[in-house]
Amino acid sequence: MTSFGGTASPGMVDWNLAVATATRLVRPGPEVSRDEARAVVAELRRHAKASEEHVRGFTRMGTAETHDTPVLVVDRPGWVRANVAGFREILKPLLEKMQERRGSSPGNVVLGAVGGKVTGVELGMLLSFLSSRVLGQYETFAPASRDLPAGGPPDAPSGGRLLLVAPNIVHVERELDVEPHDFRLWVCLHEETHRTQFTAVPWLRDHLEGEIQSFLAETDVDPMTVLERIREAAQSLAGGRPEGEEDDGGRSFVELVQTPVQREILGRLTAVMSLLEGHADFVMDGVGPSVVPTVSEIREKFQQRRARGASRLDLALRKLLGLDAKLRQYRDGERFVRAVVEQVGMDGFNRVWTSPNTLPTKAEIAKPADWVARVHRKAES
């Protein structure tokens, strides 16, 4: 969903090794000539620029001045580096906590021997898998750097940046056998919506970071448990599950939740992510017919691809990593946005961006009328 300098917890994860491993293992992108690659990059940048006006006009959010974050067209290793930077920043408090516990942990001897290098390798394996599946992303947590510039004031922690993963976009448009220029614009509309959400709603980034940090602050896990989860994912990726072994229920990293407070926070995070993803899908479909001639064909084929996954291994990893929940977020969030807009119009829906208090709850995502009743009746009373 978003995403390393610093010296925090250097022993828990070797971040540089994670990048190196992912870069070494990442699948090669589709074959294109140098001229074709340059043309794709140039077209994606044009589409990203054009999408700003399309999205602003449809959503009635923000102005040209709010879109001050860069658009970066990256390859798969570039996506990996950006996300490692973001993970390193956002996980810093949890890793510091785990580092403190390591001295008294029963698994101290084993973890000390294994160290951050094995963890870095296995994290890199997961990132190499994911790097071939992401079409675009609004990355907001990584600190600004030469390779990862960000908009906003110079003293801001990060103004975010829009990432478009060119090899993956080309791969999917070929796999679906759709019109390439239409597909590239369609993808840009979705990702530009995410950029609009964060640039036009200034409190959104800090709110999400605050929720994530509150969640991490409540975490009380043994470091070996985290290492075990990473190993499970890596073994699944490498086909390490013995043939015929029963599925253990598809545990995901989210199942590290241990406290009632964390379950409440996770419910709020699920709701806001459903809103953001569903809103992007709604905008993409709303704008699409007027600017993407083959949008109906693209949408139908893409939905089929999204639902089925690529393979048994892909389905297993989606479950393990919690990606099935992300697929539900697209579906449930889009239904919420559509229902609210039908009831109160786009301006009425945009009250959702007023403050954290007007964000929908997890229950309201499933029952949009309840959100309308709470937010609109309260505002009008």
Side-chain angles (χ1 to χ4, degrees), residues 77-275:
W79 178 88
V80 167
R81 288 191 294 271
N83 278 267
V84 167
F87 291 150
R88 187 173 183 173
E89 187 70 16
I90 204 72
L91 292 176
K92 192 181 296 183
L94 175 61
L95 294 182
E96 288 175 342
K97 184 176 183 178
M98 290 171 61
Q99 186 81 2
E100 290 173 1
R101 286 196 56 180
R102 211 169 89 169
S104 58
S105 167
N108 177 45
V109 175
V110 175
L111 189 59
V114 173
K117 292 192 178 299
V118 169
T119 309
V121 167
E122 296 182 335
L123 178 60
M125 293 174 68
L126 293 178
L127 288 170
S128 72
F129 170 81
L130 294 173
S131 68
S132 64
R133 283 153 174 77
V134 177
L135 300 181
Q137 172 186 355
Y138 188 77
E139 205 299 313
T140 185
F141 294 123
S145 67
R146 185 183 64 180
D147 295 330
L148 204 62
D155 58 345
S158 174
R161 71 286 292 170
L162 180 61
L163 307 177
L164 297 170
V165 191
N168 297 348
I169 293 172
V170 172
H171 171 78
V172 173
E173 71 191 26
R174 290 179 178 179
E175 178 186 318
L176 298 181
D177 190 25
V178 293
E179 212 290 321
H181 305 295
D182 286 1
F183 183 74
R184 294 166 195 174
L185 176 55
W186 188 72
V187 170
C188 286
L189 290 171
H190 181 102
E191 303 307 332
E192 176 59 35
T193 303
H194 286 316
R195 184 161 72 144
T196 297
Q197 291 162 348
F198 282 91
T199 55
V201 185
W203 53 264
L204 183 58
R205 178 198 179 277
D206 289 344
H207 172 70
L208 276 177
E209 183 175 17
E211 291 280 54
I212 292 169
Q213 294 303 337
S214 295
F215 179 89
L216 296 177
E218 287 287 322
T219 299
D220 185 23
V221 296
D222 182 85
M224 291 304 297
T225 304
V226 177
L227 184 59
E228 179 187 351
R229 292 293 190 273
I230 294 175
R231 282 183 167 166
E232 287 175 358
Q235 287 170 0
S236 294
L237 178 60
R241 182 187 297 278
E243 186 68 27
E245 182 177 318
E246 291 297 319
D247 188 356
D248 64 0
R251 290 182 296 175
S252 74
F253 293 121
V254 174
E255 290 180 48
L256 291 173
V257 175
Q258 292 186 334
T259 70
V261 172
Q262 284 182 312
R263 285 191 287 272
E264 290 178 10
I265 297 170
L266 186 60
R268 294 195 299 268
L269 281 169
T270 299
V272 71
M273 295 311 298
S274 296
L275 170 69

Side-chain angles (χ1 to χ4, degrees), residues 27 129-130 132-133 175 236-237 305-324 327:
R27 299 176 183 179
F129 170 81
L130 294 173
S132 64
R133 283 153 174 77
E175 178 186 318
S236 294
L237 178 60
R305 180 184 186 276
R306 182 187 274 175
R308 69 174 180 264
S311 65
R312 182 171 176 235
L313 174 61
D314 190 53
L315 292 171
L317 273 169
R318 283 189 350 191
K319 190 172 186 181
L320 179 67
L321 298 173
L323 300 183
D324 280 345
L327 296 181

